[in-house]
Amino acid sequence: MPGSAVSYFSVLLGIFAKGLTAVIQTQQTVMAAVGDKASLHCQLMETKDVRQVTWQKISPRGDANVAIYNKRFGETVNSGFKDKVEFEDAGLQNSSIVIINVMEQDEGCYLCLFNSYPEGALTGRTCLQVYELHQPVLHVRGLNSTGEVVVSCSATGRPAPTVTLRATQADRNLTDYDNVSVSNTNGTVTVTTTAVLSALHVNSTQVGCRVGVLSGPQIEVLETIPGLKPTSADDSDDDVNVHVVSRRHLYSLVPVLLLIISVAAVIVVRFRRETHTSLTHKEPQRDEMPGNTLKAESSLLTHENMELRKRTPPEGRQPNSNSNSPSAPARFVLD
């Protein structure tokens, strides 16, 4: 009998608690990306004599008071949540708080307690789920041996993001999908999806990569693949066009080559003229060579020898010893 009474009391308590919870309207799960803001809202659906609204965060170590709005003292944010939480709507029937710069440690469930008289605390519950999603990276590896393009896209998030590749044009097909997931040390997961783009033509094609986490907003990036190699019978026509373009380029180079040859010819002619002129100016200087100098010195010595011969008497005539002295007066002898 006592056991049945306890069970009956527990059932009544559960119904009463469920009824009190139903009085408060709130969002069961709120999602926010890392670095964004998260708004938690509670609304009392019945008119009650509420004296105070208290926000708490559920923790394994015990519920912690986050913020309080009192009819008499106004708004108060707990010291452990300052610069992190602020009131968005401070009221006794509606209450909202905003978590700024959401981080992983902010994830969890929060309680909003409407302390009324005489019912006591009417409690609502809402949970914050934090996700992380980074900008995806789209790679195009280029044409392979079969004339197809290999496209891959990588995205990192928490929890594991979904990665979807698509071609923007209806006649393009993406086949041979391959997905690889790698868990990182910070709790995030990197997912890489690879596919092959077939049915290629000369016209440009756009491929897109769309990523998302849970029910949060999705991110999409696009990339254009220009100048794809054709796989149809139009290859021969394109080869002809390539040859025509090459000939046009060759014809455009002929005037340039002629100009270069003309300039080179002018430079060679001027160089030869300058060389001939310099050699002509150097010819008069040959008289100054050592051989000509010896001839001049020899002629000078010959002239000096002739002068000496004129001054020297012949060997048969001996000059008077007194020839150099003045002549003596003539003497007359009387007999």
Side-chain angles (χ1 to χ4, degrees):
M1 187 72 177
S4 60
V6 172
S7 299
Y8 178 74
F9 179 75
S10 299
V11 172
L12 290 178
L13 183 61
I15 295 174
F16 180 71
K18 184 177 180 181
L20 292 180
T21 303
V23 175
I24 299 174
Q25 184 179 11
T26 185
Q27 187 176 352
Q28 184 177 2
T29 303
V30 176
M31 296 186 61
V34 173
D36 290 348
K37 294 182 179 180
S39 179
L40 307 181
H41 178 74
C42 288
Q43 180 179 3
L44 187 61
M45 304 304 295
E46 297 179 3
T47 302
K48 300 291 182 179
D49 184 12
V50 179
R51 308 294 177 87
Q52 178 176 295
V53 178
T54 303
W55 283 89
Q56 294 179 340
K57 182 180 180 181
I58 300 176
S59 172
R61 295 174 295 181
D63 301 344
N65 289 336
V66 176
I68 297 174
Y69 176 72
N70 188 279
K71 186 176 182 180
R72 181 177 178 182
F73 300 104
E75 304 173 6
T76 303
V77 178
N78 194 310
S79 58
F81 295 90
K82 286 187 179 296
D83 301 328
K84 187 67 176 177
V85 175
E86 60 184 22
F87 273 97
E88 183 179 32
D89 184 8
L92 297 176
Q93 297 293 320
N94 295 290
S95 183
S96 299
I97 61 173
V98 176
I99 302 175
I100 304 171
N101 190 20
V102 172
M103 303 301 291
E104 183 180 354
Q105 55 268 26
D106 298 326
E107 191 173 56
C109 294
Y110 293 79
L111 301 177
C112 54
L113 291 80
F114 290 83
N115 298 304
S116 62
Y117 180 82
E119 289 88 352
L122 305 176
T123 305
R125 176 191 174 101
T126 181
C127 296
L128 174 63
Q129 188 170 6
V130 179
Y131 68 89
E132 185 175 353
L133 181 61
H134 297 277
Q135 188 75 10
V137 179
L138 183 60
H139 291 286
V140 178
R141 299 181 185 176
L143 296 170
N144 59 17
S145 58
T146 60
E148 298 171 330
V149 172
V150 179
V151 182
S152 64
C153 183
S154 298
T156 301
R158 187 182 67 89
T162 58
V163 180
T164 303
L165 290 172
R166 68 183 185 91
T168 58
Q169 298 183 17
D171 59 343
R172 305 296 188 265
N173 298 320
L174 286 168
T175 59
D176 299 334
Y177 278 91
D178 184 24
N179 294 305
V180 177
S181 298
V182 178
S183 299
N184 304 313
T185 56
N186 59 355
T188 60
V189 179
T190 300
V191 177
T192 302
T193 299
T194 305
V196 175
L197 182 63
S198 59
L200 304 182
H201 299 279
V202 178
N203 298 331
S204 299
T205 301
Q206 269 194 337
V207 291
C209 176
R210 183 177 299 171
V211 299
V213 175
L214 300 176
S215 59
Q218 295 184 339
I219 303 175
E220 184 175 16
V221 294
L222 296 173
E223 184 172 342
T224 301
I225 309 175
L228 297 178
K229 184 178 180 180
T231 57
S232 62
D234 298 333
D235 292 346
S236 58
D237 296 338
D238 291 336
D239 292 339
V240 173
N241 294 333
V242 170
H243 289 302
V244 171
V245 172
S246 301
R247 291 179 181 176
R248 289 177 181 175
H249 288 171
L250 180 61
Y251 294 155
S252 63
L253 291 176
V254 171
V256 178
L257 294 176
L258 292 177
L259 179 60
I260 294 174
I261 294 172
S262 301
V263 173
V266 171
I267 293 175
V268 170
V269 172
R270 293 190 60 182
F271 177 78
R272 289 183 177 180
R273 288 181 180 178
E274 292 177 358
T275 305
H276 179 72
T277 303
S278 61
L279 293 176
T280 303
H281 286 295
K282 289 182 180 181
E283 286 179 358
Q285 298 178 1
R286 293 179 180 178
D287 296 339
E288 299 178 358
M289 295 177 64
N292 297 331
T293 304
L294 292 175
K295 291 180 180 180
E297 291 179 354
S298 176
S299 61
L300 180 60
L301 291 175
T302 303
H303 180 71
E304 290 178 356
N305 290 335
M306 292 178 64
E307 291 293 332
L308 288 175
R309 288 178 181 178
K310 289 180 181 180
R311 294 177 184 178
T312 304
E315 296 180 358
R317 295 176 56 186
Q318 294 296 330
N320 190 8
S321 61
N322 295 328
S323 62
N324 293 332
S325 62
S327 57
R331 293 182 181 181
F332 299 100
V333 178
L334 300 176
D335 295 337

